Amino acid sequence: MSGESHLWSGRFAGAPDEEVFRFQASFGFDRRLFEDDVEGSLAWAEALADAGVLSAADAGSIRDALIAIRERGRDDPAFIAGSDEDVHAFVERQLVERLGDVGRRLHTGRSRNEQVSLDLRLYLRRRLPLLQRDVVGLVAALADRAAAAGQAIMPAYTHLRRAQPILVAHFLLAHAAAFRRDHDRLEAARGEADAMPLGSGAVAGTSYAVDTAALASRLGFSRVVANSVDAAADRDFVASMLHACALTMVHVSRLAEDLILFSGEEFGYFELDDRVATGSSLMPQKKNPDPLELVRGKSGRVIGHLAGWLTTMKGLPSGYNKDLQEDKEAVFDAEDQVRGSLRATVAVVESMEARPRRSEGAAGGMLLATDVADWLVDRGVPFRRAHEIVGGIVRDLLAQGRDFESLTPEEWRGYDARFGAGGGARVTSRASVGARRTPQSTSPEAVASALAAVRAWVGEQGDR
Ligand code: ARG
């Protein structure tokens, strides 16, 4: 390579070291920003013309050439390749190849430092809604399974020990609630990316009178960045995107873990469809939840992107530094992993079957101890006393291998006279679930209205 072969060759006596040049080049991955780079350049050409820096004729030629370049790239993705340093250099080389000196005018007053920020902001603005759509897809699948589960009951756990009976629908909607927060977080990340950086120049601003407000509205941004030095280095929107992705992966990983456990032989509350399970090369009986395990595994990698990116940012001096180039691989891989994980999980959730006899069978017995205590509280016993009395009953029942339902009225009264003539409470898991009173509880009415609210939300997202 010689002469003008790089965007910055003029100052240098010789060609760069090949290996080092390849090491610091980003075109291998930032080619994903091709569309955004062209869009930004189209707007910049227009702004330069409006500012009287480019003639209308030159601006028109640049526009036509950029559109032709974009068409080439759309028709043939293999076109977006070459030994260029990055996507910005590639687009400019294409322009100069077509227009010569006219093409060389486009970079007037502009820096790649603001260009790369603009491109990534544009990219996230168009890609985050696709991630959000996959989140909605998973919430919808969970809501469908919740509706199908009807009044089926399962144990809820604390410390992974059986705690209290809940509706299976309540369990599924618990996961949906977390994914709705992820949707909000992705929206907020998109809001952070929504600031237009052009006009910042390399770091100090530009000396051409470009109308940045017009540029912002031309490019669909709601605001312009506040400070050119900050704009060169600000990747907070990347950190927010990675945080939203990391937390989405934490949630999808926790759902995966629940489903791995609950579809196993020891629990058996759900059955995974054969289409989303895998066999063993050795053990003929095995049906393994590989996709769910991989989702759980990938969460580590996406959390790593967030931790890695924060670490990259933390020591940077003001203004642009090449370290910032590391943002893109983190963003692209986080996006790919979150989308892949969400879609695989939707396939698992959509096709799994509830096993209500198994789950209800596990939701009786000692899980009803709190309900027995509540029953005593109803009869005026202070809760701490009731807790102690019922704890004594549980100890005896466990020793004898019995449960509450087997106690005779005399035995109930033997523990405490306040259990009354009829003996103990009619303690069943269904009565326990039905006794809940708060809107966030597992009572069938509360769960029905929660399900309706989730479905209404899913419907609203579809309409957006
Ligand atoms: N490829 C670079 C990046 O991703 C673009 C900006 C380069 N600017 C520079 N002054 N080297 O950050």
Side-chain angles (χ1 to χ4, degrees):
M1 292 200 169
S2 64
E4 269 192 274
S5 56
H6 296 299
L7 297 176
W8 32 258
S9 297
R11 185 233 179 277
F12 291 85
D17 179 277
E18 260 314 310
E19 192 178 343
V20 174
F21 181 78
R22 253 185 289 120
F23 168 71
Q24 56 100 43
S26 54
F27 194 27
F29 47 88
D30 69 15
R31 56 193 299 282
R32 225 153 135 157
L33 301 175
F34 171 72
E35 290 265 336
D36 309 290
D37 201 71
V38 173
E39 192 186 341
S41 291
L42 283 166
W44 185 245
E46 199 176 289
L48 287 181
D50 290 348
V53 180
L54 274 185
S55 71
D58 284 356
S61 310
I62 289 173
R63 188 194 55 236
D64 294 347
L66 285 171
I67 289 171
I69 292 165
R70 186 166 65 191
E71 286 312 309
R72 267 298 301 272
R74 281 180 183 169
D75 290 349
D76 175 20
F79 163 69
I80 311 165
S83 56
D84 305 271
E85 184 179 349
D86 53 29
V87 67
H88 326 294
F90 169 77
V91 172
E92 200 172 324
R93 173 170 65 83
Q94 290 296 330
L95 196 63
V96 172
E97 275 176 21
R98 282 168 174 73
L99 302 178
D101 269 348
V102 173
R104 290 187 181 90
R105 290 187 193 280
L106 174 63
H107 209 57
T108 312
R110 182 175 75 163
S111 157
R112 278 185 299 160
N113 299 352
E114 52 184 340
Q115 228 181 322
V116 69
S117 166
L118 174 74
D119 291 4
L120 199 51
R121 289 167 183 274
L122 288 171
Y123 178 83
L124 286 175
R125 212 179 62 195
R126 66 188 169 87
R127 301 292 294 189
L128 283 172
L130 302 181
L131 272 182
Q132 287 180 296
R133 199 197 296 161
D134 288 335
V135 171
V136 174
L138 183 50
V139 171
L142 289 164
D144 286 349
R145 301 321 294 164
Q151 301 300 305
I153 287 177
M154 67 182 280
Y157 293 80
T158 65
H159 310 267
L160 199 53
R161 303 288 187 269
R162 292 180 194 174
Q164 294 181 317
I166 56 170
L167 293 182
V168 170
H170 198 50
F171 159 75
L172 294 165
L173 292 178
H175 285 287
F179 291 117
R180 283 184 61 176
R181 292 194 296 276
D182 294 327
H183 190 276
D184 290 348
R185 250 176 238 112
L186 291 164
E187 188 74 39
R190 191 158 177 261
E192 276 193 62
D194 178 19
M196 204 288 298
L198 294 181
S200 300
V203 68
T206 187
S207 40
Y208 300 91
V210 289
D211 181 345
T212 53
L215 259 174
S217 76
R218 156 87 159 77
L219 288 165
F221 286 96
S222 67
R223 62 184 190 281
V224 178
V225 296
N227 178 299
S228 64
V229 179
D230 176 52
D234 173 20
R235 295 292 185 278
D236 291 2
F237 62 97
V238 168
S240 295
M241 180 272 188
L242 293 173
H243 177 249
C245 286
L247 217 40
T248 303
M249 288 304 293
V250 166
H251 294 145
V252 75
S253 175
R254 284 163 69 156
L255 170 61
E257 171 65 6
D258 270 354
L259 296 181
I260 290 166
L261 283 175
F262 294 163
S263 64
E265 292 89 346
E266 281 75 9
F267 291 83
Y269 305 158
F270 298 100
E271 177 76 28
L272 300 184
D273 194 90
D274 284 359
R275 283 170 31 245
V276 294
T278 37
S280 159
S281 58
L282 177 73
M283 300 165 282
Q285 88 284 8
K286 290 300 289 292
K287 178 169 164 184
N288 294 329
D290 285 32
L292 294 173
E293 294 166 68
L294 198 53
V295 161
R296 193 178 54 189
K298 283 178 182 298
S299 64
R301 166 168 165 183
V302 177
I303 292 165
H305 288 317
L306 172 63
W309 179 244
L310 292 174
T311 310
T312 296
M313 286 210 304
K314 83 167 189 48
L316 296 184
S318 293
Y320 177 82
N321 294 274
K322 183 79 167 181
D323 317 44
L324 293 170
Q325 179 169 291
E326 287 288 302
D327 59 0
K328 281 169 285 298
E329 282 167 294
V331 164
F332 298 152
D333 189 62
E335 181 193 4
D336 292 347
Q337 301 314 320
V338 171
R339 291 201 77 187
S341 299
L342 287 169
R343 296 172 85 89
T345 306
V346 167
V348 171
V349 169
E350 268 175 357
S351 62
M352 72 189 189
E353 291 238 18
R355 292 270 175 274
R357 281 160 60 103
R358 270 297 282 269
S359 63
E360 271 183 62
M366 296 308 139
L367 276 79
L368 304 172
T370 315
D371 299 276
V372 178
D374 284 343
W375 197 86
L376 279 177
V377 168
D378 269 357
R379 275 145 195 83
V381 181
F383 179 74
R384 279 283 151 248
R385 261 310 286 154
H387 188 284
E388 203 181 324
I389 294 165
V390 179
I393 304 178
V394 167
R395 194 161 3 103
D396 291 348
L397 290 176
L398 288 175
Q400 298 158 20
R402 299 170 59 193
D403 58 25
F404 290 112
E405 276 148 83
S406 71
L407 287 171
T408 65
E410 295 71 37
E411 285 176 304
W412 280 113
R413 279 200 302 281
Y415 284 109
D416 195 288
R418 283 164 289 195
F419 278 116
R426 213 182 68 78
V427 281
T428 64
S429 53
R430 190 145 312 276
S432 166
V433 164
R436 306 293 167 215
R437 287 287 169 273
T438 47
Q440 69 270 48
S441 76
T442 193
S443 90
E445 304 74 50
V447 172
S449 59
L451 176 58
V454 169
R455 290 189 134 172
W457 179 82
V458 168
E460 284 162 26
Q461 304 317 308
D463 295 342
R464 287 197 334 156

